[in-house]
């Protein structure tokens, strides 16, 4: 005599066929199948012909972490990665009636994660399609995913370590280069001083010394910029702000370069709306900013041109404008001007030199002051760099800016800043 099983509180009890009539036997069979379907280890779900999820077991719920209510009637395409949606549609339309299909699919979990799993697909009653997912593959893929994430984390840690080593290296190598360069420059200056006492056969010697000296200045300027850029990137760069008259600072810097600019056949004019505007700034860094902008203007302004330095008072901010009548910058290059290591004007004049660091450094120094820099330019019509600085004062009171350097030191500072300008 055959037997059936009845489920009671999780237990399956043996029953005799003779005990129940046929409808009851069928009901017991259905209950048995439901129990097996619900508790099987593999994740199983079926869908109707319109791609809607119809039935599923507990393992499938746990696999994707959706609730029963969310899964019922959900489109299968909502739980498949985008690249698998078209593929599964093609597979189902063309192959499902021919045979059982073994493939792999990427399933989207509720938390956004993706699990790539092996799947058996086959047609069942009423033209529904059943998917059986192999759990051992799921465990393997989860392990692979964890290993992949761990590898990424290790790689990121390696990159962070490398980035710090790179920053330390550039800082150290820059200092190592600058020290001997200063020694060379001092020897050349001494040599120049000694030979200036006589004129016998010194014409070419003085010429070569001048060339060496200018290139030493140029290297020194480049190394100074590299050191400062490295410090800014590493977060070690700081400003020494004082409340001082920004108008006086910019005017003194402009006046100090008048002779140099005019020696290049270029006229320079300073103008201001106000005689005094007290702002919190680092005078040395403001000098660096203005000198760099002037150097840029000189490089791209041919003899006979002009440079205008203007100051405008806008109440809560001060505007410093450095405008030249030079060659200008193409419109498609305007956004590249402040990008590090890009030297936009190099293709315009063969005589133009530069590292492409200067304007990037200027932008960083201005932003450290809480300001902004912008550019207006047109080819053949010149360029205008516009610096906006906030008019803020600190609690230390006003500081009277005075350039106490000797004339020779001022000239040397100009020579360093303008060292990549060649006649």
């Amino acid at each position: 005599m055959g037997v059936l099983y009845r489920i009671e509180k999780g237990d399956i009890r043996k029953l005799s066929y003779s005990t129940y009539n046929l409808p009851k036997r069928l009901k017991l069979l259905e209950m048995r199948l439901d129990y097996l379907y619900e508790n099987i280890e593999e994740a199983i779900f079926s869908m109707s012909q319109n791609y809607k999820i119809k039935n599923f077991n507990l393992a499938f719920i746990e696999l994707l972490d959706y609730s029963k209510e969310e899964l019922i009637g959900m489109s299968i395409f909502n739980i498949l990665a985008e690249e698998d949606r078209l593929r599964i549609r093609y597979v189902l339309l063309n192959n499902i009636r021919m045979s059982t299909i073994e493939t792999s699919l990427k399933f989207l979990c509720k938390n956004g994660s993706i699990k790539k799993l092996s799947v058996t697909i086959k047609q069942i009653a009423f033209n529904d399609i059943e998917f059986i997912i192999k759990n051992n593959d799921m465990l393997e893929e989860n392990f692979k995913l964890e290993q992949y994430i761990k590898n990424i984390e290790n790689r990121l840690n390696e990159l962070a370590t490398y980035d710090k080593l790179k920053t330390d290296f550039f800082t150290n190598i820059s200092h190592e280069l600058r020290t001997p360069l200063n020694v060379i420059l001092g020897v050349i200056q001494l040599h120049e001083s000694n030979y200036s006492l006589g004129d016998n056969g010194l014409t070419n010697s003085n010429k070569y010394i001048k060339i060496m000296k200018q290139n030493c200045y140029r290297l020194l300027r480049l190394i100074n910029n590299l050191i400062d850029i490295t410090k800014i990137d590493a977060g070690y760069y700081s400003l020494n702000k004082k409340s001082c008259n920004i108008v006086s600072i910019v005017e003194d810097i402009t006046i100090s370069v008048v002779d140099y600019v005019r020696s290049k056949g270029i006229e320079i004019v300073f103008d201001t709306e106000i005689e005094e505007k007290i702002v919190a700034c680092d005078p040395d860094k403001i000098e660096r900013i203005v000198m760099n902008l002037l150097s840029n203007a000189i490089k791209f302004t041919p003899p006979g041109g002009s440079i205008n330095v203007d100051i405008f008072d806008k109440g809560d901010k001060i505007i410093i404008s450095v405008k030249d009548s030079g060659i200008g910058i193409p419109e498609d290059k305007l956004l590249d001007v402040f990008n590090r290591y890009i030297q936009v004007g190099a293709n315009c004049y063969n005589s133009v030199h530069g590292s492409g660091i200067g304007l990037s450094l200027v932008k960083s120094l201005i932003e450290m002051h809480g300001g902004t820099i912008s550019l207006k330019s047109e080819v053949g019509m010149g360029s205008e760099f516009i610096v906006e600085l906030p008019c803020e004062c600190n609690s230390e009171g006003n500081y009277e800016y005075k350039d106490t350097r000797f004339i020779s030191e001022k000239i040397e500072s100009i020579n360093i800043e303008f060292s990549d300008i060649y006649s």
Side-chain angles (χ1 to χ4, degrees):
M1 180 181 294
V3 295
L4 287 176
Y5 294 87
R6 182 175 64 194
I7 303 169
E8 291 183 359
K9 297 181 180 180
D11 295 330
I12 302 178
R13 300 184 181 277
K14 187 186 298 184
L15 302 172
S16 170
Y17 280 161
S18 61
T19 310
Y20 295 93
N21 58 27
L22 184 60
K24 289 184 178 179
R25 293 176 188 173
L26 293 175
K27 181 65 176 178
L28 287 173
L29 281 171
E30 183 181 352
M31 291 171 63
R32 182 185 180 196
L33 290 173
D34 287 345
Y35 178 83
L36 293 173
Y37 183 84
E38 186 69 20
N39 292 277
I40 195 170
E41 289 185 0
E42 277 123 343
I44 302 174
F45 74 97
S46 62
M47 71 172 196
S48 58
Q49 289 183 309
N50 62 355
Y51 303 102
K52 301 291 184 180
I53 296 175
K54 192 171 183 180
N55 296 307
F56 46 85
N57 65 355
L58 181 61
F60 182 68
I61 295 174
E62 294 175 345
L63 174 69
L64 303 184
D65 201 29
Y66 284 96
S67 67
K68 291 182 180 179
E69 293 73 19
E70 289 172 323
L71 285 172
I72 293 175
M74 180 185 289
S75 170
I76 185 177
F77 301 117
N78 290 343
I79 62 169
L80 289 179
E82 186 174 355
E83 61 265 33
D84 280 342
R85 294 170 189 170
L86 185 62
R87 185 166 68 90
I88 197 64
R89 186 188 294 270
Y90 176 83
V91 167
L92 294 177
L93 288 175
N94 292 278
N95 300 310
I96 192 62
R97 288 180 174 82
M98 297 173 59
S99 62
T100 298
I101 299 170
E102 299 285 345
T103 186
S104 63
L105 295 173
K106 292 180 180 178
F107 289 90
L108 298 175
C109 300
K110 187 176 181 179
N111 62 8
S113 63
I114 297 177
K115 294 178 180 178
K116 185 178 179 181
L117 307 169
S118 294
V119 181
T120 299
I121 307 173
K122 61 182 180 180
Q123 187 173 359
I124 56 176
F126 307 109
N127 292 324
D128 290 348
I129 308 298
E130 184 176 68
F131 295 73
I132 303 173
I133 301 169
K134 298 180 181 179
N135 284 7
N136 59 332
D137 284 354
M138 179 183 70
L139 295 175
E140 182 180 353
E141 286 300 324
N142 285 343
F143 174 76
K144 290 180 180 178
L145 180 61
E146 289 173 1
Q147 288 296 112
Y148 179 71
I149 293 173
K150 187 175 181 179
N151 290 338
I152 291 177
E153 291 174 345
N154 291 338
R155 182 58 178 159
L156 289 174
N157 290 333
E158 290 174 3
L159 289 174
T161 302
Y162 170 78
D163 189 65
K164 185 178 184 305
L165 290 173
K166 182 192 70 172
T167 299
D168 292 341
F169 168 78
F170 276 111
T171 301
N172 293 332
I173 199 66
S174 297
H175 282 289
E176 290 295 322
L177 285 169
R178 184 165 61 176
T179 300
L181 189 58
N182 281 329
V183 174
I184 294 171
L185 183 58
V187 171
I188 291 175
Q189 289 170 331
L190 180 61
H191 182 69
E192 184 181 39
S193 176
N194 290 336
Y195 272 78
S196 64
L197 299 176
D199 295 328
N200 297 329
L202 297 180
T203 303
N204 288 335
S205 179
N206 287 335
K207 176 183 176 181
Y208 296 146
I209 288 173
K210 181 179 179 181
I211 292 172
M212 287 188 293
K213 193 173 179 180
Q214 181 177 18
N215 279 277
C216 282
Y217 284 139
R218 188 180 178 195
L219 285 171
L220 188 59
R221 179 176 186 265
L222 172 60
I223 292 169
N224 285 338
N225 286 347
L226 282 172
I227 290 173
D228 289 341
I229 284 290
T230 303
K231 286 181 178 178
I232 289 172
D233 288 346
Y236 297 144
Y237 200 90
S238 61
L239 301 179
N240 183 22
K241 285 188 176 183
K242 302 177 177 67
S243 290
C244 48
N245 184 4
I246 188 73
V247 179
S248 176
I249 296 174
V250 177
E251 183 178 16
D252 288 349
I253 296 167
T254 306
I255 292 173
S256 69
V257 304
V258 167
D259 291 340
Y260 183 94
V261 175
R262 287 178 178 171
S263 72
K264 302 295 180 183
I266 303 170
E267 188 66 25
I268 184 168
V269 178
F270 173 80
D271 193 17
T272 178
E273 290 183 343
I274 51 173
E275 295 301 322
E276 182 178 86
K277 189 71 173 183
I278 305 299
V279 301
C281 65
D282 186 327
D284 294 332
K285 303 307 182 290
I286 296 297
E287 176 178 315
R288 190 92 172 271
I289 292 166
V290 176
M291 290 280 274
N292 196 293
L293 294 179
L294 288 172
S295 170
N296 195 74
I298 296 168
K299 277 191 289 186
F300 298 106
T301 303
S306 62
I307 298 173
N308 291 80
V309 181
D310 298 296
I311 296 181
F312 305 97
D313 182 17
K314 298 300 179 182
D316 61 340
K317 60 185 177 182
I318 194 81
I319 309 294
I320 303 170
S321 166
V322 178
K323 185 176 182 180
D324 64 66
S325 61
I327 60 175
I329 301 171
E331 184 177 357
D332 61 335
K333 299 293 184 181
L334 291 178
L335 296 178
D336 293 332
V337 166
F338 299 106
N339 289 339
R340 195 175 300 177
Y341 309 123
I342 296 179
Q343 222 281 328
V344 173
N347 296 326
C348 301
Y349 272 4
N350 292 331
S351 60
V352 171
H353 298 268
S355 63
I357 299 176
L359 288 175
S360 173
L361 178 60
V362 164
K363 183 174 183 290
S364 295
L365 292 176
I366 291 170
E367 289 175 349
M368 289 179 73
H369 279 85
T372 61
I373 182 169
S374 58
L375 169 63
K376 296 179 181 178
S377 187
E378 186 178 343
V379 175
M381 301 299 291
S383 303
E384 181 182 12
F385 287 88
I386 303 167
V387 178
E388 296 187 12
L389 296 175
C391 294
E392 300 173 350
C393 296
N394 57 27
S395 59
E396 296 179 4
N398 292 354
Y399 166 80
E400 185 178 355
Y401 170 76
K402 290 183 179 180
D403 194 340
T404 59
R405 293 171 295 174
F406 293 108
I407 296 298
S408 60
E409 292 175 337
K410 292 182 182 180
I411 293 174
E412 185 147 315
S413 177
I414 294 170
N415 287 336
I416 292 173
E417 202 60 46
F418 294 169
S419 59
D420 53 0
I421 302 172
Y422 286 79
S423 302

